[in-house]
Amino acid sequence: MSHSVTITRTTTSTTNTSYIVLNTGYLKTFPGLLKLFELIIGVAIVTIMAINFDARYFATYRPQDLFHYLMATTFMIGTFCLFLACLTSLSTGGLIAKTIYELIYHSVAAILLVVSSALLLIKLKDYKHDSYMAAGILGLVNAVLYFISAFLAHRSYRGI
């Protein structure tokens, strides 16, 4: 009885300093680029929301703004930690993609960012604020990136 065997080789390029190993090859992969763009857009949203932050109005008049600010900050920090773990370890990028964590994380991030962005954009019909419009649209773009990451995580998930 014969069967075929597929052998997959992964080439990893590293930048080795005395204490820190950087997996620069991870940045050349599609999941690595997605995480990088999710992080950059997250920083842009948080920056826009922080510039317009006024604590007196958030708590009582505009809870949608605060919710979007909190969701963008939460997933920006989570993505940074995940990206940093994959970048500083030679094995994390390949291993964590095979677990259920990435699927759950990216799915929850996508859903909550869609909800917070939609609530923010619906609230904008009551008053005009261009920077909030930009933050809401960037939130939707980031949610699409998280949906793509969730799809890729679902395809690579192995129920071990």
Side-chain angles (χ1 to χ4, degrees):
M1 174 190 283
S2 66
H3 62 280
S4 62
V5 176
T6 303
I7 298 173
T8 305
R9 292 184 186 179
T10 303
T11 304
T12 305
S13 60
T14 62
T15 302
N16 193 359
T17 59
S18 59
Y19 296 107
I20 299 173
V21 175
L22 290 179
N23 184 2
T24 55
Y26 183 71
L27 286 174
K28 297 174 185 172
T29 64
F30 191 62
L33 287 174
L34 272 175
K35 282 182 187 63
L36 179 64
F37 287 132
E38 290 163 358
L39 182 62
I40 290 170
I41 293 173
V43 168
I45 295 169
V46 170
T47 302
I48 290 169
M49 298 302 285
I51 289 170
N52 296 298
F53 183 78
D54 188 358
R56 294 174 297 181
Y57 297 111
F58 271 100
T60 55
Y61 298 113
R62 299 189 302 234
Q64 295 88 354
D65 304 350
L66 182 60
F67 181 57
H68 188 62
Y69 189 23
L70 289 173
M71 291 302 101
T73 303
T74 299
F75 295 115
M76 179 195 68
I77 292 170
T79 301
F80 173 73
C81 292
L82 190 58
F83 182 69
L84 189 63
C86 292
L87 195 62
T88 57
S89 172
L90 296 177
S91 61
T92 301
L95 288 176
I96 205 161
K98 292 178 177 70
T99 64
I100 194 76
Y101 175 75
E102 274 213 11
L103 177 61
I104 292 172
Y105 174 77
H106 289 105
S107 299
V108 169
I111 291 167
L112 287 175
L113 279 173
V114 163
V115 169
S116 69
S117 297
L119 288 173
L120 181 65
L121 292 173
I122 289 169
K123 182 65 176 174
L124 287 177
K125 68 179 173 68
D126 295 339
Y127 62 96
K128 183 178 186 305
H129 204 294
D130 291 337
S131 60
Y132 283 152
M133 178 72 78
I137 291 171
L138 283 174
L140 290 175
V141 169
N142 216 6
V144 168
L145 293 179
Y146 278 114
F147 272 126
I148 294 170
S149 292
F151 176 73
L152 291 176
H154 176 68
R155 286 184 56 203
S156 66
Y157 168 64
R158 307 221 194 298
I160 300 172

